[in-house]
Amino acid sequence: CISKLPSDPQEIIMKIMNSFLAEVVNAHISEVQLKKVRWSVKPETYLHILTKKAAEIEGRMKIGAIYSGGSGEEIEAIGLYGRNLGILFAIRAEFADLFEPDELSDRIKNGSLPLQLLYALQNKNYSPKIRALLSKDKISANDSRELLQIIQETKTLPLLMKYLKKIEKEAIQAIHKLKSKKERCS
């Protein structure tokens, strides 16, 4: 419990909590505003929102590091790891929604388009077909499969995969900065 910590860590934890909560709330507000321009959202804009949502995992990881007595460098390293892990989880969830026709239909009507669709919509050769599929009242399993095929054909996934590999590499580098508990006690 935070009340059992000395006052300095308590203040740091409260500052971290306020910071990540504000960032996550801001991300959700930004995402709601995208609904108005759903069809023309740049993938980078939405990716920025997903990155801001990952602040929650970063913050929680930092708080855990404080509780475990981590050094400032370790707290920052585990925070970076948490941020990158959060981004990877968020993008995985975006991809998973493409396989769920009901979820995809709901996102089309009430939310933002999945990141991979935003990338695919950038390809002018495929954009009309994507828009036609997304304009249906309800997305079927066949529609979902067709959208996945189109996304693959647009060749936009390698761009996203390159970004994901970069995030993964940063996360691994951050975790390597952490010393084992045995090394800290020596």
Side-chain angles (χ1 to χ4, degrees):
C1 181
I2 192 170
S3 62
K4 294 180 182 176
L5 291 172
S7 63
D8 285 346
Q10 283 183 33
E11 290 174 25
I12 293 169
I13 288 171
M14 291 307 294
K15 192 180 284 189
I16 290 169
M17 286 178 62
N18 287 333
S19 175
F20 85 71
L21 288 173
E23 191 170 357
V24 171
V25 167
N26 181 277
H28 285 284
I29 291 169
S30 297
E31 186 175 21
V32 167
Q33 292 170 343
L34 292 182
K35 187 177 175 184
K36 300 173 200 165
V37 292
R38 173 179 316 129
W39 300 100
S40 60
V41 173
K42 298 269 185 250
E44 297 78 17
T45 301
Y46 189 56
L47 188 56
H48 181 69
I49 289 171
L50 293 176
T51 300
K52 289 168 65 172
K53 286 182 176 182
E56 181 176 0
I57 296 177
E58 174 188 12
R60 290 175 185 271
M61 298 285 276
K62 284 181 172 182
I63 291 168
I66 291 168
Y67 271 111
S68 69
S71 69
E73 183 180 342
E74 290 170 326
I75 293 166
E76 290 307 309
I78 199 71
L80 177 60
Y81 176 79
R83 174 73 70 147
N84 289 342
L85 188 63
I87 294 167
L88 293 169
F89 283 157
I91 293 173
R92 180 183 178 277
E94 293 289 303
F95 197 71
D97 285 351
L98 293 169
F99 290 90
E100 301 282 339
D102 290 339
E103 181 64 29
L104 185 55
S105 291
D106 184 59
R107 286 191 62 174
I108 292 165
K109 288 180 183 131
N110 303 312
S112 54
L113 298 176
L115 181 63
Q116 294 80 358
L117 280 176
L118 294 175
Y119 274 109
L121 281 166
Q122 301 297 302
N123 186 312
K124 293 180 186 346
N125 295 328
Y126 291 93
S127 182
K129 180 68 174 169
I130 295 169
R131 288 174 185 264
L133 286 166
L134 297 180
S135 295
K136 292 183 172 186
D137 287 335
K138 187 155 175 69
I139 300 293
S140 69
N142 285 337
D143 295 332
S144 181
R145 282 191 290 279
E146 190 172 351
L147 284 167
L148 288 163
Q149 181 64 35
I150 291 169
I151 289 169
Q152 203 165 14
E153 289 174 16
T154 64
K155 306 231 187 294
T156 55
L157 283 181
L159 295 172
L160 184 55
M161 293 307 292
K162 183 178 178 182
Y163 175 73
L164 294 176
K165 287 291 184 191
K166 176 183 164 268
I167 295 296
E168 177 187 37
K169 184 179 178 182
E170 285 178 12
I172 291 168
Q173 288 172 340
I175 217 68
H176 283 303
K177 289 181 182 177
L178 300 175
K179 298 175 187 160
S180 71
K181 190 167 183 104
K182 183 179 176 185
E183 289 174 15
R184 279 190 281 160
C185 295
S186 300

